[in-house]
Short mmCIF file of all heavy atoms in Angstrom, two decimals:
data_model
loop_
_atom_site.label_atom_id
_atom_site.label_comp_id
_atom_site.label_asym_id
_atom_site.label_seq_id
_atom_site.Cartn_x
_atom_site.Cartn_y
_atom_site.Cartn_z
N GLU A 230 -5.78 16.38 3.96
CA GLU A 230 -4.94 17.61 3.94
C GLU A 230 -4.08 17.53 2.65
O GLU A 230 -3.34 16.61 2.41
CB GLU A 230 -4.06 17.72 5.19
CG GLU A 230 -3.15 19.03 5.23
CD GLU A 230 -2.33 19.08 6.45
OE1 GLU A 230 -2.97 18.64 7.55
OE2 GLU A 230 -1.21 19.51 6.43
N GLN A 231 -4.16 18.62 1.85
CA GLN A 231 -3.39 18.70 0.53
C GLN A 231 -1.95 18.85 0.98
O GLN A 231 -1.52 19.68 1.70
CB GLN A 231 -3.93 19.73 -0.27
CG GLN A 231 -5.38 19.59 -0.81
CD GLN A 231 -5.51 18.46 -1.80
OE1 GLN A 231 -4.49 18.16 -2.54
NE2 GLN A 231 -6.67 17.84 -1.93
N THR A 232 -1.04 18.17 0.23
CA THR A 232 0.37 18.35 0.40
C THR A 232 1.08 17.96 -0.87
O THR A 232 0.44 17.81 -1.90
CB THR A 232 0.86 17.44 1.55
OG1 THR A 232 2.26 17.77 1.88
CG2 THR A 232 0.65 15.86 1.27
N ASN A 233 2.39 17.83 -0.85
CA ASN A 233 3.14 17.30 -2.01
C ASN A 233 4.00 16.13 -1.56
O ASN A 233 4.07 15.86 -0.38
CB ASN A 233 4.06 18.38 -2.62
CG ASN A 233 5.05 18.97 -1.67
OD1 ASN A 233 6.03 18.20 -1.28
ND2 ASN A 233 4.88 20.21 -1.21
N ARG A 234 4.48 15.39 -2.55
CA ARG A 234 5.08 14.09 -2.20
C ARG A 234 6.30 14.22 -1.26
O ARG A 234 6.46 13.55 -0.24
CB ARG A 234 5.55 13.43 -3.52
CG ARG A 234 6.04 11.98 -3.26
CD ARG A 234 6.50 11.36 -4.65
NE ARG A 234 7.64 12.14 -5.28
CZ ARG A 234 8.91 11.84 -4.96
NH1 ARG A 234 9.21 10.87 -4.16
NH2 ARG A 234 9.87 12.50 -5.59
N ILE A 235 7.16 15.15 -1.52
CA ILE A 235 8.47 15.36 -0.74
C ILE A 235 8.04 15.77 0.68
O ILE A 235 8.60 15.19 1.65
CB ILE A 235 9.35 16.35 -1.46
CG1 ILE A 235 9.84 15.86 -2.76
CG2 ILE A 235 10.60 16.68 -0.45
CD1 ILE A 235 10.67 14.55 -2.70
N ASP A 236 7.16 16.73 0.93
CA ASP A 236 6.76 17.19 2.19
C ASP A 236 6.15 16.02 2.99
O ASP A 236 6.41 15.86 4.21
CB ASP A 236 5.79 18.29 2.14
CG ASP A 236 6.54 19.60 1.80
OD1 ASP A 236 7.82 19.64 1.80
OD2 ASP A 236 5.92 20.59 1.51
N PHE A 237 5.34 15.14 2.21
CA PHE A 237 4.75 14.09 3.05
C PHE A 237 5.69 13.02 3.42
O PHE A 237 5.76 12.48 4.61
CB PHE A 237 3.71 13.39 2.13
CG PHE A 237 3.08 12.07 2.70
CD1 PHE A 237 2.15 12.22 3.69
CD2 PHE A 237 3.59 10.81 2.41
CE1 PHE A 237 1.70 11.16 4.41
CE2 PHE A 237 3.06 9.73 2.96
CZ PHE A 237 2.07 9.89 3.92
N LEU A 238 6.68 12.67 2.54
CA LEU A 238 7.78 11.77 2.91
C LEU A 238 8.58 12.21 4.09
O LEU A 238 8.94 11.40 4.92
CB LEU A 238 8.63 11.42 1.76
CG LEU A 238 7.95 10.71 0.53
CD1 LEU A 238 8.85 10.63 -0.63
CD2 LEU A 238 7.38 9.38 0.89
N LYS A 239 8.88 13.46 4.11
CA LYS A 239 9.64 14.05 5.29
C LYS A 239 8.83 13.91 6.55
O LYS A 239 9.36 13.51 7.60
CB LYS A 239 9.94 15.50 5.00
CG LYS A 239 10.97 15.75 3.87
CD LYS A 239 11.37 17.17 3.74
CE LYS A 239 12.43 17.42 2.71
NZ LYS A 239 12.66 18.87 2.44
N ALA A 240 7.62 14.17 6.49
CA ALA A 240 6.70 14.04 7.63
C ALA A 240 6.52 12.57 8.00
O ALA A 240 6.58 12.34 9.26
CB ALA A 240 5.36 14.75 7.40
N LYS A 241 6.51 11.73 7.11
CA LYS A 241 6.33 10.31 7.43
C LYS A 241 7.66 9.71 8.07
O LYS A 241 7.59 9.03 9.09
CB LYS A 241 6.13 9.45 6.22
CG LYS A 241 5.83 8.08 6.41
CD LYS A 241 5.47 7.32 5.15
CE LYS A 241 5.13 5.83 5.37
NZ LYS A 241 4.70 5.15 4.10
#
Side-chain angles (χ1 to χ4, degrees):
E230 181 174 325
Q231 296 288 335
T232 186
N233 61 70
R234 186 179 66 86
I235 296 298
D236 285 348
F237 175 78
L238 293 176
K239 289 179 178 178
K241 185 174 183 178

